Amino acid sequence: MKIVSVYNNFFKNNMFMKMLLIFSMISIVTIITLSYIIFLSVSDSTIRRELAIQKAAMEHVDRYIHQQYESVQNMVRDMHQNEALSANITYLMNHSYAEYVQHMTNGYYANQDDYSADVLKHFQNIMDRNSQINQLMLYSAEQQDLSTFNQHKQFRKLDANVAHSYIPDVMAMETPNISAPNYWIRKEINQWDPALYSIRVPINNTQTLRNLGQFLVFFDSEGIGNALDNYESNLKGEIVVLSAKGTVLFDSNNHYYGKKYPYVNVADSLFDQTDMDSMKKSRTCM
């Protein structure tokens, strides 16, 4: 009744009040509509800005890992270009360490004063130049053994014969060049740090092109995190880098190392291809 009374007293016979009421209603609707449009615009702008930051971070991670892959390829290329070093690597892969030491002492295939031709010295130089390397490994397909050089500059030559190891089967399989470290290789070298990723490049005879074995490098995943330092203050959520099989190679929150990432379909994930052109199609999951 009060509303009817107010209407009869102030609006029924008062054209000015009617116009004022209509104008007020239009103004309220206009303000609400503009506020909603501004809200959508600001929200869209914020989302676009966050997506741009995330995209830039993902592209930076992608470039970093590909640079590491290219650095391993360059290591193998350098081995081939230095004929004395290449000969010594082949000798080490096909003989025991004691025989290699005797070989170097006698000066076969290499000048004794040329330290660049010493495989262990060469590996030490590689370690010194790249602090993110955890392990350097040479696998001999003929001898079925694994020569390892770790971050403490310790060298070991391990028997990986098919009679008591699955490593020959692992090395014979077609796998992505960039992946999580293989369980059997971890077991053989007793390296269980989950925050590692592996890069693998074949070693072939430069004249016959016959495969001699594999060159493997284990990298610390911490290096990927260091590559994101410039984005850390602006990033929201976590960044996860996955292998082709969905195993976590890097996790900014350290939740999923050594596991498969449970929230992403990784059928076409990062580093699913073995050649660099195809690898450009890869993606990093966030």
Side-chain angles (χ1 to χ4, degrees), residues 28-63:
I28 292 172
V29 172
T30 301
I31 292 172
I32 293 174
T33 302
L34 288 175
S35 298
Y36 181 69
I37 293 174
I38 293 172
F39 170 77
L40 290 179
S41 177
V42 172
S43 298
D44 183 66
S45 176
T46 302
I47 292 172
R48 288 180 181 275
R49 183 172 64 252
E50 293 298 328
L51 289 176
I53 293 172
Q54 292 180 358
K55 181 181 178 181
M58 289 189 293
E59 290 175 346
H60 193 70
V61 169
D62 185 66
R63 285 195 301 271

Side-chain angles (χ1 to χ4, degrees), residues 13-133:
N13 298 315
N14 191 327
M15 182 61 67
F16 174 76
M17 293 300 295
K18 288 182 178 180
M19 293 180 64
L20 181 62
L21 177 62
I22 295 172
F23 177 77
S24 299
M25 294 177 63
I26 294 174
S27 299
I28 292 172
V29 172
T30 301
I31 292 172
I32 293 174
T33 302
L34 288 175
S35 298
Y36 181 69
I37 293 174
I38 293 172
F39 170 77
L40 290 179
S41 177
V42 172
S43 298
D44 183 66
S45 176
T46 302
I47 292 172
R48 288 180 181 275
R49 183 172 64 252
E50 293 298 328
L51 289 176
I53 293 172
Q54 292 180 358
K55 181 181 178 181
M58 289 189 293
E59 290 175 346
H60 193 70
V61 169
D62 185 66
R63 285 195 301 271
Y64 173 81
I65 297 180
H66 280 92
Q67 286 171 0
Q68 296 293 61
Y69 174 76
E70 290 174 354
S71 73
V72 176
Q73 286 189 314
N74 290 334
M75 293 175 199
V76 175
R77 190 176 299 114
D78 292 342
M79 294 176 191
H80 290 317
Q81 290 176 348
N82 186 329
E83 293 184 6
L85 175 62
S86 178
N88 287 337
I89 288 174
T90 301
Y91 193 93
L92 176 62
M93 292 175 68
N94 294 327
H95 297 82
S96 68
Y97 179 62
E99 290 174 322
Y100 170 77
V101 172
Q102 185 63 45
H103 165 78
M104 292 299 295
T105 302
N106 294 338
Y108 294 132
Y109 304 105
N111 189 327
Q112 291 182 20
D113 298 327
D114 185 5
Y115 289 102
S116 66
D118 180 10
V119 179
L120 304 190
K121 183 65 177 179
H122 181 72
F123 281 0
Q124 182 175 332
N125 291 337
I126 291 175
M127 286 281 195
D128 292 339
R129 290 194 299 267
N130 193 330
S131 61
Q132 301 302 324
I133 294 177

